[in-house]
């Protein structure tokens, strides 16, 4: 069991109109209110247009809200983009950065991700920084090298560890129903923790949560969350159903 407080984060991706977003957020809010205090932190990351709806629906519950991306610049001629300050202005405390779908669809390199992380931290957000290997890289035995190099390339030097969460998300496990073995997850998370100590210093790194993401479901969450170096989950598909997302959170080991 991890010594860090688990974080269960939902990445809603490009799903949810206002009414659906409100229903889902209210369903989570009422579950939190029903048990008073949770032994885990909950975070939801809806699409930009429904952020304020979700912020309103979870107000006062302690459920965090995050964006799914932000621009590296503070403002300017960047059509379609959103700045970190705009996320803060909407009531966000978090932002997901470097998700593999953005790395692939928008050609985001480690340098781009690093600049976005720096902007997020400067705006006072916690950055959930995603790393993970493709299936080809895994088959070539490159998982640890890829993850280590993405981590080093995506974190700005001098980053405040209190504003960092890392999500290990094997690309081939996202949305596929496939997951690595428990042993493989344990190995990669231990390697990430080692890298974080090297990059941030052992004491600072000890507080950084490292989430696992990729086809986390209620029926595999308990085994994953029980691992020492797994401090929660970044959940895609299953975060769109309140019952499933809640069941994943409730699978976290008791403190
Ligand atoms: C994700 O997109 O971050 C993710 C983990 O998706 P899924 O849970 O659907 O695999």
């Amino acid at each position: 069991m991890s010594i860090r407080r688990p974080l269960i984060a939902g990445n809603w991706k490009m799903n949810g109109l206002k009414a659906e977003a409100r229903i889902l957020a209210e369903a989570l809010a009422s579950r939190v209110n029903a048990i008073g205090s949770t032994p885990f932190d909950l975070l939801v990351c809806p699409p930009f247009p429904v952020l304020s709806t979700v912020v309103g629906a979870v107000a006062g519950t302690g459920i965090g809200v995050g964006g799914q991306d932000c621009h590296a610049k503070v403002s300017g001629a960047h059509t379609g983009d959103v700045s970190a300050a705009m996320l803060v202005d909407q009531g966000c405390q978090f932002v997901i950065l470097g998700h593999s779908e953005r790395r692939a669809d928008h050609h985001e390199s480690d340098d781009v991700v690093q600049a976005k992380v720096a902007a997020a931290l400067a705006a006072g957000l916690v950055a959930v920084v995603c790393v993970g290997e493709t299936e080809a890289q895994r088959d070539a035995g490159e998982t640890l090298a890829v993850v280590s190099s993405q981590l080093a390339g995506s974190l700005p030097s001098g980053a405040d560890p209190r504003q960092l969460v890392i999500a290990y998300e094997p690309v081939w496990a996202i949305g596929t129903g496939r997951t690595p073995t428990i042993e493989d997850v344990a190995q990669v998370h231990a390697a990430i923790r080692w890298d974080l100590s090297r990059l941030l210093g052992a004491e600072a790194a000890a507080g950084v949560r490292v989430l696992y993401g990729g086809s986390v479901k209620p029926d595999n969450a308990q085994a994953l969350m029980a691992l020492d170096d797994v401090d929660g989950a970044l959940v895609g598909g299953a975060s769109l159903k309140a019952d499933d997302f809640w069941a994943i959170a409730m699978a976290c080991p008791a403190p």
Side-chain angles (χ1 to χ4, degrees), residues 84 116-127 156 158-160 163-164:
K116 291 182 173 199
V117 175
L121 303 193
L125 292 167
V126 174
D160 183 342
Q163 287 178 269
L164 288 178

Side-chain angles (χ1 to χ4, degrees), residues 9 11 13 96 99-101 130 167 169-170 173-178 212-217 234-239:
N11 174 12
K13 311 195 187 195
I96 297 172
H99 191 281
S100 61
E101 286 155 14
C130 302
E169 298 208 303
I174 293 179
T176 60
R178 298 162 59 207
Y212 168 77
S215 295
V216 178
K217 308 280 180 229
L234 180 53
V235 185
S239 72

Side-chain angles (χ1 to χ4, degrees), residues 68-69 97-114 116-117 128-134 137 146-147 149-155 166-167 169 171:
Q68 298 174 13
D69 181 47
L97 292 170
H99 191 281
S100 61
E101 286 155 14
R102 292 209 59 90
R103 289 180 187 263
D105 297 354
H106 299 271
H107 312 291
E108 290 189 5
S109 63
D110 287 342
D111 285 348
V112 168
V113 175
Q114 184 184 116
K116 291 182 173 199
V117 175
V128 180
V129 184
C130 302
V131 295
E133 81 286 1
T134 62
Q137 289 166 332
V146 167
V147 167
S149 128
Q150 285 182 338
L151 205 56
S154 304
L155 299 184
I166 308 300
E169 298 208 303
V171 178

Side-chain angles (χ1 to χ4, degrees), residues 232-250:
L234 180 53
V235 185
S239 72
L240 297 173
K241 290 187 188 142
D243 283 344
D244 286 0
F245 191 54
W246 187 251
I248 290 167
M250 293 300 277

Side-chain angles (χ1 to χ4, degrees), residues 35-166:
I35 65 168
S37 73
T38 56
F40 46 76
D41 292 332
L42 272 191
L43 165 65
V44 289
C45 300
F48 296 135
V50 298
L51 277 174
S52 65
T53 301
V54 171
V55 166
V58 302
T61 63
I63 298 175
V65 181
Q68 298 174 13
D69 181 47
C70 70
H71 198 275
K73 295 270 168 54
V74 171
S75 62
H78 303 289
T79 304
D81 279 312
V82 166
S83 73
M86 289 171 183
L87 295 180
V88 173
D89 194 42
Q90 290 292 309
C92 291
Q93 306 85 31
F94 291 80
V95 60
I96 297 172
L97 292 170
H99 191 281
S100 61
E101 286 155 14
R102 292 209 59 90
R103 289 180 187 263
D105 297 354
H106 299 271
H107 312 291
E108 290 189 5
S109 63
D110 287 342
D111 285 348
V112 168
V113 175
Q114 184 184 116
K116 291 182 173 199
V117 175
L121 303 193
L125 292 167
V126 174
V128 180
V129 184
C130 302
V131 295
E133 81 286 1
T134 62
E135 184 151 35
Q137 289 166 332
R138 171 185 179 244
D139 291 347
E142 294 168 359
T143 298
L144 296 182
V146 167
V147 167
S148 180
S149 128
Q150 285 182 338
L151 205 56
S154 304
L155 299 184
S157 64
D160 183 342
R162 291 167 301 183
Q163 287 178 269
L164 288 178
V165 171
I166 308 300

